[in-house]
Each structure stands twice: as structure tokens, then as C-alpha cells.
Amino acid sequence: MPDSVPDFAPDSRPEAALLEEGDRLARFMAQRLPATLRDQARLSLIGRSLAVNLVNAFVPTVEHVTRHAGRPLHAQLTTDERGRALVQVITPDGEEHDRLPVDDLLRDLLTVRGQWHPAVWEKVQDAVTGSEHHATRALADALRSKAVLTALQRQLQLLLR
């Protein structure tokens, strides 16, 4: 086997695994929205944007909030044994504090009792239609909605216990 073959060990591709989670969100949306084949590329972009932006906001927020609470934790995007995206939370001693599968984290941030929060879902539906600028604004509104921020606060409280 040539030496130039890339190593695809679980921790070698966390960003790609995060995009895969976004693709899962896109498939979920495609099944529930009145979207056409023309909308598939936009749905993919929306799903990936939600996944990347939520996780990329969550990781530094964990560090900031826990540091200010006097119990600093380090969070990082990695992958699990199956190559799925995972947020690993580590204590200052280097011990693992928690492992948050990204699919569970996204579910907890976007849904209430297994259903997408209506305000978030409305913004996602809105992002499918209109211009790119319109879609960007709708996604930004979804990400900073009260429902998502409240869910983020719950996640942080769980980490601080």
C-alpha cells in the first residue's frame, strides 16, 4: 500500500463529520418541507449552516461560560469511534468531562419534545424561499431565536452540574 494513502482515523475528519450532520438535517427538512429538486442545494446549505454555526458557537460559549462560572472546561469538535461528529468537553486536568454527540446536541438545540420548535421551523421554512440574502437573515434569526438560546442555556447548565 502506498504511503500517500490518507489516514481516515475517527479523529482525522471532525469538520467533514460536522458537515455530514448538516446533510442529515437537510434530508430531514427535505422530507417535511414542500421543496422541489431545485431546492435541494439550498436545503443542503441550510442544514450545513445550522450544524456548523450552532456547533461553532457552542464550543467557545462552553469555554467562556464555564471560565466565568469558576469551573473552566475546554470543548473541542472531534469524532467518535464511528466517525460521527462529537463535542468533547475536557476538564483543566485533561480528563474527559462529557461527550456530546453533535446529532443529539442539534436535536436538543432545535427541538422541543421531539418536534422542531415552531419559531425555529418557521425561520427554516422561510430560508428556503427568496433570495440568498433573505435566507441568510432567516437562518440568523433562527440561530438567535429565544428557543435556541434557551436550549443553549440548558445545555450549559447541564455541563456545570
Side-chain angles (χ1 to χ4, degrees), residues 29-40 43 128:
M29 291 183 290
Q31 293 172 353
R32 286 160 180 79
L33 290 171
T36 65
L37 284 176
R38 286 189 348 230
D39 297 325
Q40 296 306 310
L43 286 173
V128 176

Side-chain angles (χ1 to χ4, degrees), residues 25 28-36 39 42-43 46-47 50 110 116-131 134-142:
L25 283 177
F28 172 85
M29 291 183 290
Q31 293 172 353
R32 286 160 180 79
L33 290 171
T36 65
D39 297 325
R42 180 168 275 191
L43 286 173
I46 291 168
L50 286 171
L110 297 171
W116 279 52
H117 191 284
V120 174
W121 188 245
E122 179 183 325
K123 296 298 181 187
V124 168
Q125 287 176 306
D126 201 26
V128 176
T129 61
S131 68
H134 180 80
T136 301
R137 289 187 59 148
L139 283 175
D141 289 345

Side-chain angles (χ1 to χ4, degrees), residues 45-113:
L45 181 62
I46 291 168
R48 286 179 169 200
S49 293
L50 286 171
V52 168
N53 284 299
L54 281 169
V55 171
N56 285 342
F58 182 75
V59 168
T61 301
V62 166
E63 295 187 4
H64 178 78
V65 169
T66 60
R67 183 175 59 248
H68 279 39
R71 297 172 45 200
L73 296 171
H74 172 69
Q76 64 187 18
L77 178 65
T78 186
T79 55
D80 65 12
E81 311 74 44
R82 298 177 303 154
R84 305 268 312 252
L86 175 80
V87 174
Q88 184 179 36
V89 182
I90 302 167
T91 66
D93 307 350
E95 292 186 30
E96 188 172 83
H97 176 72
D98 210 342
R99 294 167 54 96
L100 305 168
V102 168
D103 56 345
D104 291 345
L105 180 63
L106 293 173
R107 182 199 63 228
D108 292 345
L109 293 177
L110 297 171
T111 67
V112 175
R113 293 180 292 283

